[in-house]
């Protein structure tokens, strides 16, 4: 069951939450809406579910326009950030609620509830109340509840944001496996780039109400279409420089640029793993800090005493020989992209994941 | 096991196709909302607003000037003064002891605390006439403490002290409860910080605790004033409403109605109602159980 | 905790003495006097036809009022919490008025509105609903006096409801009516009960407004508190005390229940 949204626009007073948002989700796909907080991702989700109405634009589910269909008839499963479990009902009553609405007979309801609780790994907890469950358990009940009435698609609004870090990882893996089993078209909202890339088939990047880029994780990583996306995804070194003949200078270092960038002022983006540093007494880089991070080492330095550079090396890398804080190093950039500066936007403040 | 994805209600597809696309369609019909407003409006109009309007209308008929002028006579003025004194004494005594009680009940732990706590709430459940009766049984003819007090020339029943005791009884819980509520919400962090900075208990109380509970105290005092002014049954029974010595504003109104002295009765009632409105404004301002401005 | 000092005990002692003398002693006098002739005498006093009728009337008028208040009070709280409209603040303040205004003045206002000489009262009288000098008047007076209880109990609970729970029910296919019935009502039911019980307890002892509007006619509009007053005036404190004991038992029993409910309400949050 595919989803298509077109030209969605929504304003709250003077504030524009969504500005001409459009994208498609193919049947059976797991798509992430990724972007910084407050960017409108949750609003899009709620509009698809029918919980909010756009000022203009259209929503199509499986090719049919559903704008005038009320939320309680769209057959959409929704999992809320803070679970929204019915606090005065037991787990079983929560899960069977949708079936109860569909007037499914009691025996069948009970069977389905058992089936679902088994699916989410909470068999035996039917009579518990939400207050007696952990965050991870509550989220799984919310999932079971949303899936019980056999929805046509599944929407998840920052489903792991309210859960502990360790549990978050487990839930993530578990949701991915579930999706591979069930292949229900799903859209989930997150501000965590790592999470989006780990789970989704494709990612839609949303910033301040606009769609920045749509693509598979690999596509976005390798070919970010704007400076914002390049900075948002993974760690990057960004420099202001002038492009001339397909290269740019940062201090005394010349960097070859991929693609065919136009000449002129631009931002140059170099990923932390797309460059090499090695000890060299005449090198332009002075190492300022080396931080061991388990299986990696983070190396920070300054090019020509002015431009910061960050690189990551595996712990046992031979390149680390001789590198230590205070020493000089040479630098080689293997991949860099340039984005022309648009007027006045300057640097964006962005969340690094 | 794989899920089957066949939708449970295929007939709804037809609905989606047939309905015209209208993104600005209202989500909820207005009819139930209007009905609700109308019902609540009618209810409040009947129970709250109409009686107030009736009083205002009667005053209008009599003429506000006439009504207020009727109050400017020795007896009504004396009754008003007596009520005023009772209110003031209740504010001071139950104010001070109320703060004391709140601290004792909320911050201390000792045997008998639960019992004391329950006793403080008792006045809220007892009918005013029973309060009056209880005091008569203690201080009236043949009362428990009468043999002790009479030789000393102390009259409590059918005298001012009886009125005072009854008023203190019915207003006891307010300051204790409201200050106690604020104390609980605030916790002891600030007070403990003051102690680590060297403040004595007394200083901590005056400089930290008291200012912090000022809001709750104000609210409790306003409730106390309203209740003290409005007390009727208890003072009627204990005091006997003897004109000139134990009548209060409320018992005065009662007597005036019985004697068909309408002008002074309504005048006094209007005065009390107006005072209540003022106290109500105070209540709303000071309310620590803040009513948030919600709304869809 | 720091060591308990003498000053602590001084504070406790002062307050304890104050409350003891002010509350415990009179209460004890009432109970002891009421029971002094033995429990049989209490039963006899209560079995007296007039007393029985008065107590019965007190109970059923309070019950009717509690139901009316539960329904309309909840509706009022709903309107105040869920909607914005001009005059909302004033209305919210008005709901608290019964706590500020003397009950006697309330009774007076109701007489002005519904008394037999008044246009409204006369009209209602001829149509078989004698408000003044009738039970309807008693219920009305009680409703006024206890109006804030249910509203104040329900409002904060309504405010704290999670809107996502209602949204979740919507996505699961529930109609608005079903959402109100199965998601919202169960959540506010304890608060409604608490408010209604408080109102009921308060109504049992109501005197000032009823003594003015009901006419205090035995077997028709006499309530227990007014009966007690009558007995005291008639120089029968013993009888008055006996009836008081019964009423007190009811009131204190209710009070214990509401105290428990309040504890439960305070600790309700998943």
């Amino acid at each position: 069951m595919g989803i298509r949204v077109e030209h969605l626009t929504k304003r709250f007073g003077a504030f524009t939450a969504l500005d001409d948002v459009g994208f498609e989700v193919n049947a059976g796909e797991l798509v992430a809406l990724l972007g910084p907080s407050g960017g409108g991702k949750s609003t899009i989700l709620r509009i698809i579910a029918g919980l909010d109405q756009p000022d203009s634009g259209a929503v199509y589910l499986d090719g049919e326009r559903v704008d005038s269909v009320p939320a309680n008839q769209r057959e959409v499963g929704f999992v809320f950030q803070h679970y929204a479990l019915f606090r005065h009902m037991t787990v079983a009553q929560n899960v069977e609620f949708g079936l109860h609405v569909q007037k499914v007979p009691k025996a069948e309801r009970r069977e389905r509830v058992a089936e679902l609780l088994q699916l989410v790994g909470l068999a035996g907890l039917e009579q518990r109340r939400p207050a007696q469950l952990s965050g991870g358990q509550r989220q799984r009940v919310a999932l079971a509840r949303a899936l019980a009435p056999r929805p046509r698609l599944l929407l998840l609004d920052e489903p792991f944001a309210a859960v502990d870090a360790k549990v978050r990882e487990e839930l993530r893996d578990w949701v991915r496996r579930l999706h591979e089993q069930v292949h229900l078209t799903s859209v989930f909202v997150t501000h965590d780039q790592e999470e989006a890339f780990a789970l989704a088939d494709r990612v839609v990047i949303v910033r301040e109400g606009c769609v920045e880029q749509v693509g598979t994780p690999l596509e976005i990583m390798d070919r970010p279409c704007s400076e914002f996306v390049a900075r948002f995804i993974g760690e990057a070194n960004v420099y202001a420089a002038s492009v001339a003949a397909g290269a740019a200078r940062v201090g005394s270092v010349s960097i070859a640029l991929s693609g065919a960038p136009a000449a002129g002022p631009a931002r140059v983006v170099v990923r932390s793993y797309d460059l090499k540093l090695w000890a060299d007494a005449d090198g332009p880089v002075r190492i300022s800090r080396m931080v061991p991070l388990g299986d990696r080492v983070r190396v920070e330095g300054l090019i020509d005493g002015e431009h910061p550079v960050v690189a990551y090396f595996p712990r046992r890398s031979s390149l680390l020989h001789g590198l230590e804080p205070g020493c000089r190093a040479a630098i080689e950039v293997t991949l860099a992209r340039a984005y022309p500066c648009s007027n006045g936007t300057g640097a964006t403040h962005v969340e690094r994941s | 096991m794989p899920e089957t994805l066949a939708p449970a209600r295929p007939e709804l597809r037809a609905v989606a196709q047939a309905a015209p696309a209208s993104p600005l369609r209202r989500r909820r019909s207005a009819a139930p909302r209007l009905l609700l407003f109308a019902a609540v409006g009618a209810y409040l109009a009947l129970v709250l607003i109409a009686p107030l309007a009736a009083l205002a209308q009667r005053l209008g008929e009599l003429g506000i000037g006439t009504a207020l002028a009727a109050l400017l006579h020795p007896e009504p003025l004396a009754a008003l003064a007596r009520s005023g004194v009772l209110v003031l004494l209740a504010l001071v005594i139950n104010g001070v002891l109320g703060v004391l009680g709140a601290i004792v009940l909320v911050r201390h732990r000792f045997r008998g605390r639960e019992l004391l706590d329950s006793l403080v709430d008792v006045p809220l459940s007892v009918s005013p006439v029973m309060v009056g009766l209880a005091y008569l049984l203690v201080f009236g003819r043949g009362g428990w403490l009468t043999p002790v007090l009479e030789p000393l020339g102390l009259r409590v029943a059918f005298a001012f002290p009886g009125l005072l005791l009854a008023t203190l009884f019915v207003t006891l819980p307010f300051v204790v409860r409201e200050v106690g509520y604020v104390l609980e919400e605030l916790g002891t962090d600030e007070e403990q910080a003051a102690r680590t900075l060297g403040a004595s208990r007394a200083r901590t109380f005056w400089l930290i605790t008291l200012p912090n509970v000022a809001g709750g105290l104000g609210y409790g005092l306003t409730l106390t004033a309203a209740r003290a002014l409005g007390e009727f049954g208890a003072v009627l029974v204990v005091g006997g409403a003897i004109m000139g010595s134990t009548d209060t504003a409320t018992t005065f109104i009662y007597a005036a109605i019985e004697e068909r002295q309408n002008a002074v009765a309504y005048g006094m009632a209007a005065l009390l109602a107006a005072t209540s409105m003022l106290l109500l404004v105070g209540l709303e301002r000071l309310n620590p159980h803040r009513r948030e401005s919600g709304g869809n | 905790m720091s060591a308990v000092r003498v000053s602590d005990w001084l504070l406790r002692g002062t307050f304890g003495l104050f409350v003891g003398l002010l509350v415990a002693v009179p209460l004890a006098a009432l109970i002891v006097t009421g029971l002094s002739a033995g429990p049989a005498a209490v039963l006899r006093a209560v079995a007296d036809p007039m007393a029985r009728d008065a107590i019965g009337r007190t109970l059923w008028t309070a019950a009717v009022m509690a139901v009316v208040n539960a329904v309309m009070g909840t509706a009022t709280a709903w309107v105040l919490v869920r909607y914005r409209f001009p005059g909302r603040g004033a209305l919210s303040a008005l709901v608290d008025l019964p706590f500020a205004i003397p009950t006697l003045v309330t009774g007076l206002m109701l007489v002005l509105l519904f008394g037999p000489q008044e246009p409204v009262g006369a009209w209602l009288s001829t149509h078989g609903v004698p408000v003044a000098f009738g039970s309807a008047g008693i219920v009305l007076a009680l409703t006024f006096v206890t109006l804030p209880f249910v509203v104040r109990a329900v409002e904060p609970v309504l405010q704290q409801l999670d809107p996502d729970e209602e949204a979740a029910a919507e996505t699961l296919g529930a109609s608005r009516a079903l959402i109100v019935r199965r998601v919202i009502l169960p959540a506010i039911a304890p608060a409604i009960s608490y408010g209604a019980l408080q109102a009921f307890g308060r109504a049992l002892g109501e005197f000032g407004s009823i003594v003015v509007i009901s006419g205090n006619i035995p077997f028709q509009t006499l309530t227990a508190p007014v009966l007690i007053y009558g007995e005291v005036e008639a120089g029968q404190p013993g009888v008055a005390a006996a009836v008081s004991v019964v009423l007190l038992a009811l009131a204190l029993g209710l009070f214990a229940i509401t105290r428990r409910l309040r504890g439960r309400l305070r600790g309700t949050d998943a």
Side-chain angles (χ1 to χ4, degrees):
Chain A
M1 139 89 152
I3 307 172
R4 187 165 88 246
V5 304
E6 280 177 357
H7 304 301
L8 286 186
T9 304
K10 181 128 184 113
R11 256 166 289 239
F12 293 106
F15 172 66
T16 304
L18 296 178
D19 192 3
D20 198 28
V21 167
F23 60 88
E24 270 188 53
V25 176
N26 304 316
E29 255 194 322
L30 176 56
V31 166
L33 292 181
L34 170 66
S37 295
K41 317 182 290 297
S42 293
T43 312
I44 298 174
L45 215 65
R46 291 177 75 96
I47 288 177
I48 298 177
L51 296 171
D52 269 340
Q53 302 296 315
D55 294 329
S56 63
V59 177
Y60 296 85
L61 296 182
D62 238 6
E64 294 156 24
R65 192 154 174 181
V66 295
D67 295 44
S68 51
V69 177
N72 58 1
Q73 287 172 22
R74 289 199 192 184
E75 296 177 59
V76 167
F78 203 109
V79 177
F80 293 81
Q81 183 175 348
H82 296 286
Y83 332 121
L85 294 181
F86 305 132
R87 68 187 82 179
H88 56 275
M89 298 188 198
T90 62
V91 164
Q93 287 169 332
N94 262 281
V95 174
E96 72 170 8
F97 188 85
L99 302 170
H100 184 84
V101 170
Q102 288 171 356
K103 305 215 188 348
V104 169
K106 191 162 181 170
E108 214 181 299
R109 286 205 314 256
R110 199 159 281 181
E111 213 183 287
R112 180 106 176 108
V113 168
E115 189 187 316
L116 278 158
L117 287 182
Q118 180 85 306
L119 185 67
V120 301
L122 291 176
L125 294 183
E126 279 89 348
Q127 296 311 312
R128 293 272 182 94
R129 294 200 176 244
Q132 299 166 298
L133 302 174
S134 70
Q137 287 173 325
R138 288 185 208 175
Q139 199 55 296
R140 284 186 276 162
V141 173
L143 206 48
R145 180 178 67 175
L147 291 173
R150 301 188 206 278
R152 301 195 279 174
L153 71 109
L154 185 62
L155 303 174
L156 306 106
D157 191 353
E158 308 234 26
F160 312 125
V163 168
D164 298 339
K166 187 79 183 71
V167 180
R168 196 178 303 167
E169 261 190 61
E170 285 172 13
L171 275 180
R172 249 197 247 169
D173 291 339
W174 185 83
V175 165
R176 182 72 219 178
R177 272 181 285 127
L178 183 67
H179 182 256
E180 264 147 40
Q181 248 191 312
V182 167
H183 279 296
L184 185 58
T185 313
S186 307
V187 181
F188 76 98
V189 161
T190 179
H191 59 266
D192 185 327
Q193 174 248 307
E194 215 182 293
E195 186 170 288
F197 277 32
L199 282 182
D201 297 322
R202 282 192 310 138
V203 176
V204 176
I205 301 191
V206 177
R207 170 168 82 116
E208 288 176 17
C210 301
V211 173
E212 287 269 339
Q213 186 167 358
V214 180
T216 65
L218 221 49
E219 282 167 14
I220 295 184
M221 283 214 90
D222 285 344
R223 279 184 301 280
C225 72
S226 73
E227 181 197 338
F228 166 78
V229 177
R231 279 169 172 257
F232 191 68
I233 306 300
E235 264 208 72
N237 298 288
V238 181
Y239 307 103
S242 228
V243 174
R249 292 197 76 82
V250 176
S252 57
V253 177
S254 176
I255 300 178
L257 301 167
S258 72
R267 294 253 193 277
V268 175
V269 178
V270 182
R271 292 242 182 261
S272 307
Y273 47 79
D274 282 335
L275 65 95
K276 289 200 266 208
L277 292 171
W278 63 95
D280 181 345
D282 302 319
V285 179
R286 177 172 296 278
I287 305 295
S288 55
R289 212 157 78 110
M290 292 177 54
V291 186
L293 294 171
D295 58 353
R296 306 188 296 169
V297 177
R298 175 188 165 98
V299 179
E300 298 174 18
L302 285 175
I303 303 177
D304 293 333
E306 203 183 317
H307 307 281
V309 60
V310 174
Y312 285 91
F313 296 99
R315 185 99 190 282
R316 306 278 182 220
S317 167
S318 53
L319 289 169
L320 286 173
H321 277 318
L323 276 185
E324 57 185 23
C327 83
R328 299 195 73 95
I331 179 172
E332 182 194 325
V333 174
T334 48
L335 181 65
R337 303 182 74 87
Y339 299 93
C341 277
S342 33
N343 345 342
T345 39
T348 53
H349 71 95
V350 146
E351 278 166 34
R352 296 257 182 104
S353 51
Chain B
M1 72 214 105
E3 300 268 309
T4 55
L5 297 178
R9 294 180 294 179
E11 69 272 15
L12 284 177
R13 301 292 190 81
V15 171
Q17 269 170 335
S22 50
L24 299 174
R25 196 184 66 85
R26 296 183 65 184
R27 289 187 62 211
R28 303 205 182 118
S29 63
R33 184 195 299 204
L34 283 178
L35 199 64
L36 184 64
F37 264 87
V40 172
Y43 174 68
L44 292 177
L46 172 68
V47 178
L48 276 185
I49 301 177
L52 286 171
L55 181 62
Q57 192 236 7
R58 177 54 53 93
L59 264 188
E61 275 175 19
L62 282 175
I64 300 194
T66 324
L68 289 180
L71 292 176
L72 294 175
H73 286 99
E75 290 104 15
L77 286 178
L80 266 173
R82 194 162 298 110
S83 278
V85 173
L86 283 171
V87 168
L88 271 163
L89 286 174
L91 285 175
V92 171
I93 299 176
N94 270 338
V96 170
L97 283 160
V99 174
L100 174 62
I103 295 178
V104 164
L105 289 177
V106 173
R107 295 265 188 263
H108 292 204
R109 289 276 173 281
F110 55 93
R111 245 205 326 210
R113 193 183 63 92
E114 278 289 321
L115 178 63
L116 195 54
D117 198 74
S118 308
L119 277 179
V120 166
D121 271 342
V122 164
L124 292 174
S125 333
V126 180
S127 173
V129 286
M130 285 161 43
V131 174
L133 174 61
Y135 278 112
L136 277 187
L137 292 174
V138 176
F139 295 107
R141 198 150 38 104
W144 286 10
L145 291 179
T146 323
V148 173
L149 295 175
E150 200 160 342
L152 297 173
L154 286 173
R155 291 196 61 207
V156 176
F158 306 110
F160 186 80
L163 300 180
L164 180 61
L165 284 178
T167 307
L168 289 177
F169 183 104
V170 299
T171 54
L172 178 69
F174 298 120
V175 173
V176 178
R177 285 288 162 245
E178 294 303 325
V179 173
Y181 173 76
V182 175
L183 279 178
E184 259 180 40
E185 296 279 300
L186 286 178
T188 53
D189 287 352
E190 287 186 40
E191 287 151 19
Q192 286 180 354
R195 306 279 290 143
T196 63
L197 291 165
S200 69
R201 298 177 115 217
R203 279 198 96 166
T204 309
F205 173 75
W206 285 109
L207 294 179
I208 309 293
T209 316
L210 200 53
N212 274 344
V213 301
L217 179 60
Y219 187 66
L221 285 176
T222 312
L223 286 173
T224 302
R227 186 73 175 83
L229 191 59
E231 178 45 46
F232 174 58
V235 297
L236 180 64
V237 172
V238 184
I242 306 164
M243 184 82 74
S245 69
T246 60
D247 59 341
T248 64
T250 49
T251 63
F252 184 89
I253 297 176
Y254 186 53
I257 298 178
E258 303 269 286
E259 291 163 25
R260 303 228 168 276
Q261 295 193 9
N262 291 345
V264 74
Y266 296 136
M268 185 78 89
L271 185 62
L272 289 185
T275 315
S276 311
M277 300 288 209
L278 279 175
L279 288 173
L280 186 65
V281 172
L283 282 182
E284 296 304 304
R285 288 269 172 79
L286 294 167
N287 194 347
H289 322 269
R290 214 140 295 286
R291 281 218 191 100
E292 318 261 300
S293 46
N296 275 353
Chain C
M1 289 247 86
S2 53
V4 178
R5 306 127 164 260
V6 175
S7 57
D8 274 352
W9 279 107
L10 207 64
L11 293 178
R12 296 171 197 176
T14 311
F15 186 66
L17 197 65
F18 177 63
V19 174
L21 288 179
L22 194 66
V23 177
V25 168
L27 202 63
L30 189 63
I31 298 176
V32 167
T33 310
L35 296 173
S36 62
V42 174
L43 288 174
R44 229 180 306 130
V46 168
D48 169 76
M50 193 164 76
R52 202 150 31 108
D53 172 83
I55 294 177
R57 180 161 302 102
T58 303
L59 287 173
W60 78 255
T61 52
V64 169
M65 175 281 304
V67 170
V68 168
N69 242 327
V71 172
M72 295 311 295
T74 305
T76 308
W78 184 278
V79 168
L80 285 176
V81 169
R82 295 243 160 166
Y83 298 110
R84 272 218 167 94
F85 51 90
R88 198 175 137 274
L91 198 64
S92 183
L94 205 61
V95 166
D96 273 338
L97 181 67
F99 278 177
I101 202 167
T103 54
L104 182 66
V105 174
T106 303
L108 191 56
M109 293 193 301
L110 287 173
V111 168
L112 283 180
L113 191 56
F114 293 112
Q117 293 110 349
E118 312 305 322
V120 182
W123 184 88
L124 283 172
S125 236
T126 53
H127 285 77
V129 189
V131 175
F133 312 120
S135 297
I138 298 178
V139 173
L140 197 58
L142 292 177
T143 309
F144 182 106
V145 165
T146 59
L147 193 99
F149 282 116
V150 172
V151 181
R152 284 174 86 178
V154 172
E155 258 188 320
V157 179
L158 269 181
Q159 267 159 16
Q160 281 162 20
L161 285 185
D162 183 1
D164 277 349
E165 277 188 47
E166 292 167 53
E170 234 187 307
T171 63
L172 290 165
S175 64
R176 189 77 194 138
L178 191 69
I179 295 177
V180 172
R181 197 156 52 86
R182 290 208 70 204
V183 178
I184 297 178
L185 229 43
I188 60 176
I192 300 179
S193 311
Y194 179 64
L197 275 177
Q198 272 191 311
F200 185 78
R202 173 76 176 78
L204 287 184
E206 179 51 29
F207 176 72
S209 58
I210 298 189
V211 80
V212 175
I213 192 174
S214 73
N216 316 323
I217 307 163
F219 296 106
Q220 280 186 41
T221 59
L222 190 66
T223 61
V226 181
L227 172 70
I228 295 173
Y229 176 61
E231 293 298 333
V232 172
E233 292 297 288
Q236 297 276 356
V239 178
V243 180
S244 297
V245 164
V246 174
L247 216 55
L248 194 63
L250 273 172
L252 290 181
L254 265 175
F255 169 61
I257 299 177
T258 51
R259 240 173 109 93
R260 277 265 206 82
L261 263 182
R262 177 173 53 170
R264 196 114 46 87
L265 267 183
R266 285 264 193 93
T268 311
D269 238 331

